[in-house]
Amino acid sequence: MGFHIDWSLDVESTAADMRVAVIGAGVIGLSTAQCIYERYHSAVSSLSIEVYADRFTPQTTSDGAAGLWQPYLYDNGNTLETKWNKETFDYLLGFLNSPDSIKMGIFLQSGYNLCSDPAPDPSFRDIVLGFRQLAKRELDLFPGYSHGWFNTALMIEGKSYLPWLMNWLKQRGVKFYQRKVSSFQELADSGVEVIINCTGVRSGELQPDPELKPGRGQIIKVSAPWLKHFILTHNFKKGVYNSPYIIPGSRHVTVGGVFQLGNWSEQNSTADHKKIWEEACSLEPSLKHARVMEDWSGLRPVRSRVRLEREMMQFGPASCEVIHNYGHGGYGLTIHWGCALEAARLFGEIIEQKGQGDRSRL
Amino acid sequence: MTVTSSVQWRMGIQTRSSSFKGMSLTVTPPAHSPFSTQVPRSLLFVAPFWYCCPAMHRVKVAVVGAGVVGLSTAVVIAEALPHCSVTVLADRFTPNTTSDGAAGILFASQFPDVPVEQQRRWFKRTFDHLLLIASSPEAGVAGVFLSSGWQIFREVPPEKKPYWSDCVLSFGTMTDAELKRFPQYKFGQAFTTIKCECPSYLPWLQKRLEKAGGIMIHEKVTDLAELGLRYDVIVNCSGLGSRELLGDEDVHPVRGQVLRVHAPWLQHFVRVADGHTYIYPGAGGVTLGGTRQAADSQAIFERCRRLEPSLGSARPLGEWVGLRPGRRNPRVERGHVRVHGRRVPVVHNYGHGGWGITLSWGTALDALDLVRQCLNERPPEARL
């Protein structure tokens, strides 16, 4: 694949290294590693970053997601997350004209957000491009939907973005270890000073978190290359992602939506497939002639809000700083860079504090 | 002594699988008809049975040309006039017509001498017809689907909203944020139009024609008078061929050169307002164009890549050069050809330049009206 994963259990490092371990190799883990490296590798001369995960691309949750940049319709006052979403959008938009854009899986896509009832404008209206209300003639194309918006957003496809990130990190000496970390202490005992916890839906295995739940999703990948717009429907009674959506990508079209809170199954369900397919064909009749490729199920790491904060952990005489960065629900790709920037900022705080102590590394 | 008797009867009979009601036919025997000057009453009883012998009594319409205009016109006639038998004659069928190479983005231009209201009607009727297909289960099969994107201008144009702006979906001015991607362009329009890909659409039209009872014949028509021996009405949709067929020197080839590349991440069209540079993503590839004079592919590619840098990652699929049937204005009007002293009506529908697909259904409907006029004026003689 172009990058090296170390299968050994031993970590080679010099005693003077400042070891930072990122747990999780989805979009959150990899982009946080990148952001910290970018900002601190010259300030901290012995910075050594290691990424631990039991699943790498293309097996992560980020890989299965369609990759459309779009937050939930309303942030319910969580303006910090809206800020992070905007930072991500602007950051990705900046890559559009670069020669790497396709390697990164970034491209523009326009489309429709449809509501069965009138609804206030969404939180992202001033972030995306060309946001406008749908005209009656457009709504007539979607019977059953009386209100909606058109805008131009971005796609950020995990299957391209994650390999690009891993390559970027590998080229800068970041090491990868394919194994399941059983506890923060395990890493702290081995000499890691800072842990970045990007373990997504399974964060509860490292530290119980009653607010974190799986939001199971299932999608059908189809070939329908005449479809050039995303179509997302919103049914406020059924809740987010439980209403059909169709998102064309660079390789196939992603058809969904299912959002089952508390369901840990990663197996494809025939009943879900049937529901998704029937609803999507109602929405977009031409799917009748699409070629179905395969189904995929994944677990969104659902939480009332993203957990992005520091926690100092004491394990006997050793202490370890943990930066939690998990719980991004169905908008991990959408929010990842803003969160990476914030995590890097927290890392900077840690560096500064350590600099004031015995081990001055600056 | 000349007796002119006019017989009118209403057709309320079933023929094959379609019925036509309310069509009246005025039959007026000509002054020097070899037949009796009075239509025998017995014929009034024979007439309802002429559906048994369709070949003898159906009006034979020949459509010359099987590009998008020819096939659209043939379908429109075959579906609206079931008492006509429609035959399409062409030397080239899909995928070898001019239409097949066109990107097929619906986009209207302005002809100097056609009233704007008529051009708008042509465009609107085609758009609405294709929009129905695009929102049906057949969109993928017919190759007709929605396409959003931008038309960009180097300088702010005097007319910011062209006459067709309310025919497409949600026409608007580009925001500053949207224009940022095109730093050398000062103004832009954003809208959703339709892409109609003829390699899929023409076969779809052919099926529709066959379903309506039409047939297709591979034949190069070189002499309209000869055709007039075999057919009652001729509809001329021969595009560039009209130059030779009719001697219409107003028809001139306008060369178009396009590249096709594989770049499946491109979802939007981009068109520079002067029409020389465009990027049209389709179902099977992206069409990059174009030119109205000789230019090499590299030049086209470079111009497009400046607009859309990600094209640097695109894989080339091929090149195509076609000749648009250029004319100052499309010719949609009646004419005739003399065959042994008779006048065989001809309906012309050609000269659409680079807007064949865009105007195909609208001009076909106008051609249908002209065919109806021809039929209403037909003398009764040999066909009863």
PDB file of all heavy atoms in Angstrom, chain B residues 262-284:
ATOM      1  N   HIS B 262     -11.158  10.636 -18.473  1.00  0.00           N
ATOM      2  CA  HIS B 262     -11.739   9.957 -17.316  1.00  0.00           C
ATOM      3  C   HIS B 262     -11.367  10.778 -16.091  1.00  0.00           C
ATOM      4  O   HIS B 262     -10.202  10.856 -15.716  1.00  0.00           O
ATOM      5  CB  HIS B 262     -11.152   8.543 -17.228  1.00  0.00           C
ATOM      6  CG  HIS B 262     -11.616   7.773 -16.036  1.00  0.00           C
ATOM      7  ND1 HIS B 262     -12.868   7.229 -15.939  1.00  0.00           N
ATOM      8  CD2 HIS B 262     -10.985   7.451 -14.882  1.00  0.00           C
ATOM      9  CE1 HIS B 262     -12.988   6.611 -14.778  1.00  0.00           C
ATOM     10  NE2 HIS B 262     -11.859   6.724 -14.122  1.00  0.00           N
ATOM     11  N   ALA B 263     -12.356  11.420 -15.515  1.00  0.00           N
ATOM     12  CA  ALA B 263     -12.124  12.253 -14.318  1.00  0.00           C
ATOM     13  C   ALA B 263     -13.418  12.213 -13.511  1.00  0.00           C
ATOM     14  O   ALA B 263     -14.159  13.201 -13.464  1.00  0.00           O
ATOM     15  CB  ALA B 263     -11.765  13.696 -14.715  1.00  0.00           C
ATOM     16  N   PRO B 264     -13.715  11.065 -12.910  1.00  0.00           N
ATOM     17  CA  PRO B 264     -15.043  10.852 -12.333  1.00  0.00           C
ATOM     18  C   PRO B 264     -15.370  11.705 -11.111  1.00  0.00           C
ATOM     19  O   PRO B 264     -16.501  11.692 -10.642  1.00  0.00           O
ATOM     20  CB  PRO B 264     -15.031   9.359 -11.948  1.00  0.00           C
ATOM     21  CG  PRO B 264     -13.593   9.012 -11.803  1.00  0.00           C
ATOM     22  CD  PRO B 264     -12.845   9.881 -12.739  1.00  0.00           C
ATOM     23  N   TRP B 265     -14.375  12.449 -10.622  1.00  0.00           N
ATOM     24  CA  TRP B 265     -14.643  13.319  -9.485  1.00  0.00           C
ATOM     25  C   TRP B 265     -15.244  14.652  -9.932  1.00  0.00           C
ATOM     26  O   TRP B 265     -15.681  15.449  -9.113  1.00  0.00           O
ATOM     27  CB  TRP B 265     -13.341  13.580  -8.710  1.00  0.00           C
ATOM     28  CG  TRP B 265     -12.293  14.205  -9.571  1.00  0.00           C
ATOM     29  CD1 TRP B 265     -12.110  15.524  -9.846  1.00  0.00           C
ATOM     30  CD2 TRP B 265     -11.290  13.514 -10.336  1.00  0.00           C
ATOM     31  NE1 TRP B 265     -11.064  15.701 -10.720  1.00  0.00           N
ATOM     32  CE2 TRP B 265     -10.541  14.491 -11.032  1.00  0.00           C
ATOM     33  CE3 TRP B 265     -10.949  12.172 -10.498  1.00  0.00           C
ATOM     34  CZ2 TRP B 265      -9.475  14.167 -11.865  1.00  0.00           C
ATOM     35  CZ3 TRP B 265      -9.889  11.842 -11.329  1.00  0.00           C
ATOM     36  CH2 TRP B 265      -9.169  12.824 -12.001  1.00  0.00           C
ATOM     37  N   LEU B 266     -15.247  14.923 -11.227  1.00  0.00           N
ATOM     38  CA  LEU B 266     -15.791  16.201 -11.687  1.00  0.00           C
ATOM     39  C   LEU B 266     -17.297  16.104 -11.824  1.00  0.00           C
ATOM     40  O   LEU B 266     -17.811  15.249 -12.559  1.00  0.00           O
ATOM     41  CB  LEU B 266     -15.170  16.598 -13.033  1.00  0.00           C
ATOM     42  CG  LEU B 266     -13.730  17.091 -12.975  1.00  0.00           C
ATOM     43  CD1 LEU B 266     -13.252  17.495 -14.369  1.00  0.00           C
ATOM     44  CD2 LEU B 266     -13.588  18.264 -12.020  1.00  0.00           C
ATOM     45  N   GLN B 267     -18.013  16.946 -11.105  1.00  0.00           N
ATOM     46  CA  GLN B 267     -19.470  16.883 -11.089  1.00  0.00           C
ATOM     47  C   GLN B 267     -20.135  18.094 -11.716  1.00  0.00           C
ATOM     48  O   GLN B 267     -21.347  18.089 -11.946  1.00  0.00           O
ATOM     49  CB  GLN B 267     -19.978  16.761  -9.633  1.00  0.00           C
ATOM     50  CG  GLN B 267     -19.219  15.780  -8.766  1.00  0.00           C
ATOM     51  CD  GLN B 267     -19.582  14.341  -9.051  1.00  0.00           C
ATOM     52  OE1 GLN B 267     -20.346  14.051  -9.964  1.00  0.00           O
ATOM     53  NE2 GLN B 267     -19.029  13.432  -8.278  1.00  0.00           N
ATOM     54  N   HIS B 268     -19.362  19.164 -11.947  1.00  0.00           N
ATOM     55  CA  HIS B 268     -19.951  20.404 -12.439  1.00  0.00           C
ATOM     56  C   HIS B 268     -19.430  20.744 -13.827  1.00  0.00           C
ATOM     57  O   HIS B 268     -18.259  20.502 -14.125  1.00  0.00           O
ATOM     58  CB  HIS B 268     -19.586  21.584 -11.538  1.00  0.00           C
ATOM     59  CG  HIS B 268     -20.030  21.450 -10.135  1.00  0.00           C
ATOM     60  ND1 HIS B 268     -19.243  20.853  -9.176  1.00  0.00           N
ATOM     61  CD2 HIS B 268     -21.177  21.819  -9.523  1.00  0.00           C
ATOM     62  CE1 HIS B 268     -19.895  20.876  -8.028  1.00  0.00           C
ATOM     63  NE2 HIS B 268     -21.062  21.449  -8.206  1.00  0.00           N
ATOM     64  N   PHE B 269     -20.282  21.382 -14.623  1.00  0.00           N
ATOM     65  CA  PHE B 269     -19.778  21.894 -15.891  1.00  0.00           C
ATOM     66  C   PHE B 269     -19.173  23.276 -15.635  1.00  0.00           C
ATOM     67  O   PHE B 269     -19.570  23.994 -14.719  1.00  0.00           O
ATOM     68  CB  PHE B 269     -20.886  21.955 -16.954  1.00  0.00           C
ATOM     69  CG  PHE B 269     -21.975  22.975 -16.705  1.00  0.00           C
ATOM     70  CD1 PHE B 269     -21.773  24.323 -16.995  1.00  0.00           C
ATOM     71  CD2 PHE B 269     -23.204  22.594 -16.191  1.00  0.00           C
ATOM     72  CE1 PHE B 269     -22.774  25.259 -16.761  1.00  0.00           C
ATOM     73  CE2 PHE B 269     -24.207  23.515 -15.951  1.00  0.00           C
ATOM     74  CZ  PHE B 269     -23.986  24.856 -16.226  1.00  0.00           C
ATOM     75  N   VAL B 270     -18.203  23.617 -16.462  1.00  0.00           N
ATOM     76  CA  VAL B 270     -17.646  24.968 -16.458  1.00  0.00           C
ATOM     77  C   VAL B 270     -17.583  25.406 -17.910  1.00  0.00           C
ATOM     78  O   VAL B 270     -17.053  24.682 -18.753  1.00  0.00           O
ATOM     79  CB  VAL B 270     -16.216  25.011 -15.858  1.00  0.00           C
ATOM     80  CG1 VAL B 270     -15.680  26.433 -15.898  1.00  0.00           C
ATOM     81  CG2 VAL B 270     -16.207  24.473 -14.441  1.00  0.00           C
ATOM     82  N   ARG B 271     -18.123  26.543 -18.197  1.00  0.00           N
ATOM     83  CA  ARG B 271     -18.119  27.027 -19.581  1.00  0.00           C
ATOM     84  C   ARG B 271     -17.683  28.478 -19.592  1.00  0.00           C
ATOM     85  O   ARG B 271     -18.227  29.305 -18.863  1.00  0.00           O
ATOM     86  CB  ARG B 271     -19.532  26.911 -20.162  1.00  0.00           C
ATOM     87  CG  ARG B 271     -19.636  27.346 -21.622  1.00  0.00           C
ATOM     88  CD  ARG B 271     -21.091  27.337 -22.093  1.00  0.00           C
ATOM     89  NE  ARG B 271     -21.194  27.329 -23.537  1.00  0.00           N
ATOM     90  CZ  ARG B 271     -21.303  28.422 -24.308  1.00  0.00           C
ATOM     91  NH1 ARG B 271     -21.331  29.625 -23.749  1.00  0.00           N
ATOM     92  NH2 ARG B 271     -21.392  28.323 -25.613  1.00  0.00           N
ATOM     93  N   VAL B 272     -16.694  28.755 -20.410  1.00  0.00           N
ATOM     94  CA  VAL B 272     -16.318  30.147 -20.593  1.00  0.00           C
ATOM     95  C   VAL B 272     -17.292  30.739 -21.603  1.00  0.00           C
ATOM     96  O   VAL B 272     -17.608  30.103 -22.609  1.00  0.00           O
ATOM     97  CB  VAL B 272     -14.862  30.270 -21.098  1.00  0.00           C
ATOM     98  CG1 VAL B 272     -14.508  31.724 -21.354  1.00  0.00           C
ATOM     99  CG2 VAL B 272     -13.905  29.655 -20.089  1.00  0.00           C
ATOM    100  N   ALA B 273     -17.772  31.941 -21.305  1.00  0.00           N
ATOM    101  CA  ALA B 273     -18.875  32.518 -22.059  1.00  0.00           C
ATOM    102  C   ALA B 273     -18.634  32.613 -23.560  1.00  0.00           C
ATOM    103  O   ALA B 273     -19.576  32.557 -24.347  1.00  0.00           O
ATOM    104  CB  ALA B 273     -19.226  33.892 -21.498  1.00  0.00           C
ATOM    105  N   ASP B 274     -17.369  32.729 -23.976  1.00  0.00           N
ATOM    106  CA  ASP B 274     -17.136  32.820 -25.423  1.00  0.00           C
ATOM    107  C   ASP B 274     -17.323  31.478 -26.124  1.00  0.00           C
ATOM    108  O   ASP B 274     -17.290  31.407 -27.337  1.00  0.00           O
ATOM    109  CB  ASP B 274     -15.744  33.401 -25.724  1.00  0.00           C
ATOM    110  CG  ASP B 274     -14.627  32.501 -25.206  1.00  0.00           C
ATOM    111  OD1 ASP B 274     -14.905  31.360 -24.780  1.00  0.00           O
ATOM    112  OD2 ASP B 274     -13.466  32.929 -25.222  1.00  0.00           O
ATOM    113  N   GLY B 275     -17.550  30.421 -25.361  1.00  0.00           N
ATOM    114  CA  GLY B 275     -17.867  29.127 -25.960  1.00  0.00           C
ATOM    115  C   GLY B 275     -16.675  28.330 -26.439  1.00  0.00           C
ATOM    116  O   GLY B 275     -16.824  27.211 -26.916  1.00  0.00           O
ATOM    117  N   HIS B 276     -15.471  28.884 -26.282  1.00  0.00           N
ATOM    118  CA  HIS B 276     -14.296  28.179 -26.802  1.00  0.00           C
ATOM    119  C   HIS B 276     -13.705  27.182 -25.804  1.00  0.00           C
ATOM    120  O   HIS B 276     -12.943  26.306 -26.207  1.00  0.00           O
ATOM    121  CB  HIS B 276     -13.207  29.180 -27.192  1.00  0.00           C
ATOM    122  CG  HIS B 276     -13.584  29.983 -28.400  1.00  0.00           C
ATOM    123  ND1 HIS B 276     -14.395  29.502 -29.394  1.00  0.00           N
ATOM    124  CD2 HIS B 276     -13.249  31.246 -28.762  1.00  0.00           C
ATOM    125  CE1 HIS B 276     -14.556  30.433 -30.325  1.00  0.00           C
ATOM    126  NE2 HIS B 276     -13.878  31.498 -29.979  1.00  0.00           N
ATOM    127  N   THR B 277     -14.022  27.365 -24.556  1.00  0.00           N
ATOM    128  CA  THR B 277     -13.443  26.471 -23.550  1.00  0.00           C
ATOM    129  C   THR B 277     -14.560  25.971 -22.664  1.00  0.00           C
ATOM    130  O   THR B 277     -15.323  26.775 -22.124  1.00  0.00           O
ATOM    131  CB  THR B 277     -12.396  27.226 -22.698  1.00  0.00           C
ATOM    132  OG1 THR B 277     -11.459  27.838 -23.570  1.00  0.00           O
ATOM    133  CG2 THR B 277     -11.681  26.271 -21.757  1.00  0.00           C
ATOM    134  N   TYR B 278     -14.669  24.650 -22.530  1.00  0.00           N
ATOM    135  CA  TYR B 278     -15.699  24.122 -21.649  1.00  0.00           C
ATOM    136  C   TYR B 278     -15.306  22.751 -21.116  1.00  0.00           C
ATOM    137  O   TYR B 278     -14.506  22.031 -21.709  1.00  0.00           O
ATOM    138  CB  TYR B 278     -17.060  24.055 -22.338  1.00  0.00           C
ATOM    139  CG  TYR B 278     -17.085  23.385 -23.695  1.00  0.00           C
ATOM    140  CD1 TYR B 278     -17.085  21.997 -23.813  1.00  0.00           C
ATOM    141  CD2 TYR B 278     -17.142  24.150 -24.868  1.00  0.00           C
ATOM    142  CE1 TYR B 278     -17.131  21.381 -25.056  1.00  0.00           C
ATOM    143  CE2 TYR B 278     -17.189  23.533 -26.110  1.00  0.00           C
ATOM    144  CZ  TYR B 278     -17.183  22.157 -26.196  1.00  0.00           C
ATOM    145  OH  TYR B 278     -17.232  21.554 -27.439  1.00  0.00           O
ATOM    146  N   ILE B 279     -15.872  22.454 -19.972  1.00  0.00           N
ATOM    147  CA  ILE B 279     -15.649  21.175 -19.286  1.00  0.00           C
ATOM    148  C   ILE B 279     -17.029  20.628 -18.971  1.00  0.00           C
ATOM    149  O   ILE B 279     -17.774  21.256 -18.212  1.00  0.00           O
ATOM    150  CB  ILE B 279     -14.860  21.394 -17.966  1.00  0.00           C
ATOM    151  CG1 ILE B 279     -13.499  22.014 -18.270  1.00  0.00           C
ATOM    152  CG2 ILE B 279     -14.703  20.067 -17.222  1.00  0.00           C
ATOM    153  CD1 ILE B 279     -12.790  22.550 -17.028  1.00  0.00           C
ATOM    154  N   TYR B 280     -17.398  19.510 -19.573  1.00  0.00           N
ATOM    155  CA  TYR B 280     -18.743  18.963 -19.402  1.00  0.00           C
ATOM    156  C   TYR B 280     -18.665  17.528 -18.890  1.00  0.00           C
ATOM    157  O   TYR B 280     -18.476  16.596 -19.672  1.00  0.00           O
ATOM    158  CB  TYR B 280     -19.506  18.995 -20.727  1.00  0.00           C
ATOM    159  CG  TYR B 280     -19.862  20.380 -21.244  1.00  0.00           C
ATOM    160  CD1 TYR B 280     -19.867  20.653 -22.613  1.00  0.00           C
ATOM    161  CD2 TYR B 280     -20.221  21.414 -20.384  1.00  0.00           C
ATOM    162  CE1 TYR B 280     -20.219  21.900 -23.116  1.00  0.00           C
ATOM    163  CE2 TYR B 280     -20.565  22.672 -20.870  1.00  0.00           C
ATOM    164  CZ  TYR B 280     -20.561  22.909 -22.235  1.00  0.00           C
ATOM    165  OH  TYR B 280     -20.905  24.148 -22.725  1.00  0.00           O
ATOM    166  N   PRO B 281     -18.815  17.317 -17.568  1.00  0.00           N
ATOM    167  CA  PRO B 281     -18.758  15.944 -17.041  1.00  0.00           C
ATOM    168  C   PRO B 281     -19.995  15.152 -17.459  1.00  0.00           C
ATOM    169  O   PRO B 281     -21.117  15.673 -17.391  1.00  0.00           O
ATOM    170  CB  PRO B 281     -18.743  16.143 -15.520  1.00  0.00           C
ATOM    171  CG  PRO B 281     -18.406  17.583 -15.311  1.00  0.00           C
ATOM    172  CD  PRO B 281     -18.917  18.311 -16.496  1.00  0.00           C
ATOM    173  N   GLY B 282     -19.779  13.942 -17.892  1.00  0.00           N
ATOM    174  CA  GLY B 282     -20.878  13.095 -18.329  1.00  0.00           C
ATOM    175  C   GLY B 282     -20.874  11.781 -17.594  1.00  0.00           C
ATOM    176  O   GLY B 282     -20.142  11.589 -16.636  1.00  0.00           O
ATOM    177  N   ALA B 283     -21.714  10.869 -18.061  1.00  0.00           N
ATOM    178  CA  ALA B 283     -21.835   9.579 -17.380  1.00  0.00           C
ATOM    179  C   ALA B 283     -20.646   8.678 -17.676  1.00  0.00           C
ATOM    180  O   ALA B 283     -20.276   7.838 -16.870  1.00  0.00           O
ATOM    181  CB  ALA B 283     -23.132   8.894 -17.787  1.00  0.00           C
ATOM    182  N   GLY B 284     -20.031   8.841 -18.839  1.00  0.00           N
ATOM    183  CA  GLY B 284     -18.938   7.946 -19.212  1.00  0.00           C
ATOM    184  C   GLY B 284     -17.597   8.626 -19.299  1.00  0.00           C
ATOM    185  O   GLY B 284     -16.590   7.993 -19.602  1.00  0.00           O
TER     186      GLY B 284
END
